[in-house]
Amino acid sequence: MLAVKNATLVMKDHYIPNATLLIENGVIVDFGSSKDITIQDDYEVLDAKNNFVGPGLIDIHTHADGDTYFHDDPVKCSKTLIDHGVTSVLPALFYSMNKQEHLDAIKKYKDAIADGKCPNILGVYMEGPYLNPDFGCDKEKNVWKDSIVEKDYAEIVDAAKGLAKVWCVAPERDGILDFVKYVKREIPEIVFSVAHSEATPEQIEALMPYGLKLGTHHTNATGTLENYPEVRGVCVDETVNYNDNIYAEIICDSMGVHVHPYMIRLVKKIKGQDKIILIADSFVADGPPIPGLEDAFDINFDWGGDIAGSKLTLDIACHNMMIHTGGSVCDVFKYASYNPSRLLNIPELGEIKKGNTANIIIVDQWFNVINTIIKGEILK
C-alpha cells in the first residue's frame, strides 16, 4: 500500500492542491484534499513535495529510446521510458522490416511482456507495412512496395493478435480495403491510422467505418494534392483536421521542426483538447543534419536529407508543447495520457480515478519527471 502526500493532483480538467492519493493492490482507492484523507500506519508514504501528480504517460508511437531500437533491446528501452514517466508504450514496427523481421520483433515483445521485464509495454504500433512508398524516412528501404497480397500479410496479422493496438495504412494503396477488412476480422479492437499517405478525403473516409480514427504524425509524411496551378488541394492533413472523430498525433520537438509551433497552435484550435495525442516517434538514425538545423538536438536525419523521427521521450514532448502553445501541465497530461487511453479504449488508464490502475507520475512545473509508479510500485 502506498500513500502519495503533499500532491497537486492533476485531474482531467482541473487540479486538487494539497492532496493525498492512496493506492492498494496496484489500484487507486482514494484521493482528495489531505484534510479529508487519512493515511493509515501500514502505508508506505511518498512525499510529492507539492509537485504535480498525474496519470502515467502513454506513448502510442515510438521506435526507440533515443539510441536503441525497441526490437533490438526491449528491456533497455522499457527502462529508459519508465525513467521518463512513460508507464504505457506501443513500440512501433516499421515498413523497412521484412516479414521475418516483423515476426521476430512481435515474438520478442511477447516474450518480454511474459517475462515481466517490460511492465510498460502495452502492445505494438504497426507503422506499415502498406504505406505510400514515396513518403517517410529511408524510403529506399521500403520492402512492401509491391501488390498487397493476403499470403504476404496473413502470418504477420496472425502473430500480432492480442498485441497490435494500432495499424497504419495508406488508403490510396490498391487492395488496401481487403487488407483492412482482413485485419478488422482477425483483430476486432484494432485502431486504424492514416499514415505516409497522399490519400484523398474520400479514400480516408471510406475506411472510417472499419475503425480509422487516427492520423499518424500529423502534417509529417503526407502529400498535398494540387488540382490546379497555384491552388492548394485537400489531402490527409485537411481530412484529419475536418473529421471530429479522428485523433491527430503530434511530434513536438524543441525547435518545431516536425510541426511548426504556429501549426501546432492551429491544430489545437481545430481539433480541441480531446483529439490531440503527443507522441515521441523516437528513431535511430545517424545522417547529417539538414543545413540550418544543426541545433536541432532532439530530432534525427537520414542519409537522404530527410527528417528521420526524433530523439524525444514523451516527457520532453510535453515540456515542448507547453512552451510552443502556452498550455498547462493539465493540458499536456491530457494529450499524453487521457486522450491516448480513450483512443485505445482503455479507460482504466489515463486518469486519476478511483478503481483505475495506479500508473502515476510526479513532475515539476516544467514536466521534469521526479517519480514513476506502475501498478502501485515505485520504479523511479
Side-chain angles (χ1 to χ4, degrees):
M1 298 186 294
L2 177 66
V4 182
K5 69 174 187 178
N6 297 325
T8 300
L9 294 181
V10 183
M11 311 306 291
K12 183 172 63 174
D13 52 11
H14 65 284
Y15 302 107
I16 303 178
N18 304 313
T20 296
L21 180 144
L22 301 181
I23 298 169
E24 294 182 9
N25 300 317
V27 173
I28 298 170
V29 295
D30 204 0
F31 63 87
S33 175
S34 293
K35 63 182 177 62
D36 299 322
I37 302 293
T38 300
I39 301 175
Q40 302 295 338
D41 292 341
D42 53 350
Y43 271 83
E44 178 185 0
V45 177
L46 177 62
D47 189 346
K49 300 179 180 178
N50 297 314
N51 286 298
F52 295 99
V53 177
L57 305 182
I58 303 172
D59 193 346
I60 67 168
H61 181 180
T62 195
H63 302 264
D65 69 352
D67 59 21
T68 304
Y69 282 120
F70 257 96
H71 59 263
D72 286 335
D73 193 341
V75 175
K76 173 184 179 295
C77 292
S78 172
K79 177 62 169 64
T80 301
L81 267 60
I82 287 171
D83 288 344
H84 287 272
V86 178
T87 58
S88 300
V89 60
L90 301 183
L93 282 68
F94 202 50
Y95 58 69
S96 60
M97 303 169 74
N98 61 32
K99 179 193 286 190
Q100 191 58 51
E101 288 170 332
H102 272 86
L103 296 174
D104 290 345
I106 289 169
K107 183 179 186 304
K108 185 175 285 188
Y109 293 138
K110 286 184 174 180
D111 289 346
I113 293 170
D115 289 343
K117 296 178 180 178
C118 300
N120 57 347
I121 294 184
L122 192 63
V124 295
Y125 183 103
M126 304 296 291
E127 194 172 7
Y130 297 118
L131 308 182
N132 190 315
D134 292 335
F135 294 92
C137 66
D138 289 335
K139 292 183 284 289
E140 67 281 359
K141 296 181 181 178
N142 189 324
V143 298
W144 298 89
K145 299 177 182 180
D146 296 334
S147 299
I148 299 175
V149 180
E150 182 177 323
K151 68 178 179 60
D152 293 335
Y153 62 72
E155 193 174 358
I156 294 175
V157 176
D158 184 64
K161 289 179 184 177
L163 194 67
K165 304 297 183 184
V166 177
W167 212 304
C168 298
V169 295
E172 69 271 27
R173 289 284 300 263
D174 290 338
I176 201 67
L177 181 57
D178 288 338
F179 173 75
V180 165
K181 288 180 177 179
Y182 185 97
V183 175
K184 184 68 174 178
R185 184 175 69 247
E186 299 299 314
I187 312 175
E189 70 278 8
I190 199 71
V191 171
F192 289 105
S193 185
V194 54
H196 296 246
S197 171
E198 57 182 2
T200 65
E202 293 77 14
Q203 290 170 324
I204 297 167
E205 291 172 354
L207 299 184
M208 290 179 66
Y210 301 97
L212 190 151
K213 55 181 178 178
L214 180 65
T216 292
H217 42 57
H218 190 44
T219 76
N220 292 136
T222 53
T224 298
L225 302 179
E226 296 180 357
N227 297 326
Y228 306 100
E230 300 182 3
V231 177
R232 191 180 192 280
V234 292
C235 192
V236 176
D237 302 331
E238 291 77 17
T239 310
V240 171
N241 284 339
Y242 181 79
N243 281 278
D244 292 340
N245 291 332
I246 299 181
Y247 290 78
E249 292 180 358
I250 297 289
I251 305 170
C252 193
D253 57 65
S254 60
M255 291 182 63
V257 174
H258 281 88
V259 190
H260 191 283
Y262 194 94
M263 178 62 76
I264 297 175
R265 295 192 287 271
L266 175 61
V267 172
K268 180 179 175 181
K269 185 174 184 178
I270 294 170
K271 299 302 295 181
Q273 293 288 84
D274 294 333
K275 287 296 188 289
I276 291 174
I277 293 179
L278 288 175
I279 61 169
D281 197 15
S282 182
F283 207 69
V284 179
D286 59 358
I290 297 172
L293 295 180
E294 291 83 2
D295 294 332
F297 65 92
D298 53 2
I299 65 175
N300 290 309
F301 304 92
D302 64 20
W303 286 92
D306 289 327
I307 298 171
S310 83
K311 299 178 183 177
L312 289 166
T313 48
L314 200 51
D315 56 332
I316 305 302
C318 289
H319 170 90
N320 294 337
M321 190 73 170
M322 293 169 67
I323 292 173
H324 292 329
T325 69
S328 67
V329 169
C330 192
D331 291 337
V332 294
F333 264 113
K334 196 163 194 179
Y335 308 147
S337 190
Y338 182 81
N339 291 352
S341 75
R342 269 51 194 173
L343 170 77
L344 300 176
N345 192 28
I346 310 176
E348 66 271 19
L349 301 178
E351 183 179 10
I352 291 180
K353 184 178 179 181
K354 290 181 184 179
N356 272 14
T357 302
N359 289 0
I360 302 294
I361 63 171
I362 302 176
V363 300
D364 68 12
Q365 62 182 342
W366 283 112
F367 226 88
N368 297 299
V369 176
I370 300 166
N371 294 106
T372 302
I373 300 166
I374 295 182
K375 294 183 178 179
E377 182 179 357
I378 302 172
L379 298 182
K380 178 190 178 183

